[in-house]
Amino acid sequence: QFLAEANGLNQKFHWCPLRVEDHISMIGQWRPLLLVVHVSGLYDESLGYATSLLQTRKAEVKPNPDCTPSVQQDIFETIMQLITRHNETLISELRSQGRIQDGIPDWNFVHIPKTGGDSMVISSAPLAPVGMSLANAKAPRLGPDQCFWSQLPPKMIPSGQEQYQGKTVFCAVRNPYERAISGACHLLQYTRGYIGDASSRLNASLLDNFITIQLETYKSNKKVGTCFWIPQVEYTEGPLGCTRTINFAHLEQEYDNLMEEAGYNLKLGRDSSHSCAAKCDYTKDDLDPSTVQLLSDFYSADFEKWGHEFG
């Protein structure tokens, strides 16, 4: 019954390119539950059911006593935050003002990976089921790939995004060296089991090698590493691209100021997912000079558009 419910919603809204059974084999038994929450929450049809179902199953989630990074656990935590912040009263009020149409707020952001996107989704969750995220759109199926489609550059998303015409689209941009190191640390921890502290196997040499391999793979597959390596400038291109940028180095202040300008009483909060991922303190100075040059060349368009300090 559970699988039938999830697959039925999936088929109705074309939310996910895979059947629920495929998600079970790929990520684990909790993905179909989260899929139900995602889809039902998106269009306000079964949010109560999804919330109740999630709360009922919450006690059954396997504990993570060692606190190892887990995509499964992160998704669960994210959905819980989205649900607890959902504000139907506010949404109804904004609908009556014409500020939310077809479930989409008049301000939205493009989620460039590793630039604080999850925090912005959670902070804006009172406005829509997935916050001010392009994930709210009823997009067509993209087919299996290595990216969350909402983290693709808008120009790479197929037709079906007309709901975003005329909206203000913003994004956060980050120094490319910092973003690349953060992305490498994330992928190594989540896909290869490394822990990001000085006493572990994760080290600067490993980062050098991993970044080099990933950027070489990028030449034949732009979606490698769940879109972590796509230059940020590409997210500003196309009719739905980002037109307002905020600096990741001052993310909280600039996000709060932008929301005040937009007329929304929203403050950037801390996303509690990824809580088991170790902090990655490596910097550009820890990398081999050849890796630094590789990143400088690869992200030359980012540096040119925003400068070495802002990029």
Side-chain angles (χ1 to χ4, degrees), residues 38-160:
H38 261 305
V39 178
S40 57
L42 273 176
Y43 304 113
D44 299 324
E45 294 209 1
S46 304
L47 184 61
Y49 163 75
T51 305
S52 174
L53 185 61
L54 187 64
Q55 295 288 1
T56 300
R57 302 292 200 280
K58 181 178 180 181
E60 301 173 16
V61 176
K62 294 181 179 179
N64 191 5
D66 299 327
C67 203
T68 55
S70 164
V71 172
Q72 183 181 4
Q73 189 70 28
D74 284 357
I75 293 175
F76 181 87
E77 293 295 338
T78 297
I79 298 301
M80 287 298 297
Q81 292 177 85
L82 290 174
I83 287 177
T84 56
R85 285 170 169 77
H86 186 82
N87 189 333
E88 189 59 37
T89 301
L90 176 61
I91 291 173
S92 297
E93 179 182 341
L94 292 171
R95 280 181 184 146
S96 68
Q97 298 171 2
R99 301 205 62 187
I100 293 180
Q101 298 179 353
D102 297 324
I104 299 173
D106 54 356
W107 283 61
N108 298 273
F109 83 95
V110 176
H111 188 162
I112 302 176
K114 307 311 295 178
T115 63
D118 288 341
S119 292
M120 288 188 281
V121 167
I122 298 303
S123 297
S124 58
L127 304 182
V130 207
M132 289 179 166
S133 168
L134 295 181
N136 285 302
K138 302 175 184 178
R141 292 170 182 256
L142 298 182
D145 58 41
Q146 294 173 296
C147 297
F148 294 104
W149 71 263
S150 60
Q151 296 182 19
L152 288 168
K155 68 178 184 179
M156 293 176 61
I157 298 176
S159 60

Side-chain angles (χ1 to χ4, degrees), residues 246-247 250-259 268:
I246 57 179
N247 188 347
H250 312 290
L251 183 62
E252 183 173 356
Q253 176 184 347
E254 295 197 15
Y255 175 85
D256 291 353
N257 290 344
L258 195 65
M259 291 301 97
L268 189 71

Side-chain angles (χ1 to χ4, degrees), residues 165-182:
Q165 295 293 344
K167 311 290 187 182
T168 299
V169 180
F170 66 96
C171 60
V173 293
R174 185 177 188 177
N175 181 286
Y177 299 123
E178 295 178 2
R179 178 173 175 251
I181 292 171
S182 176

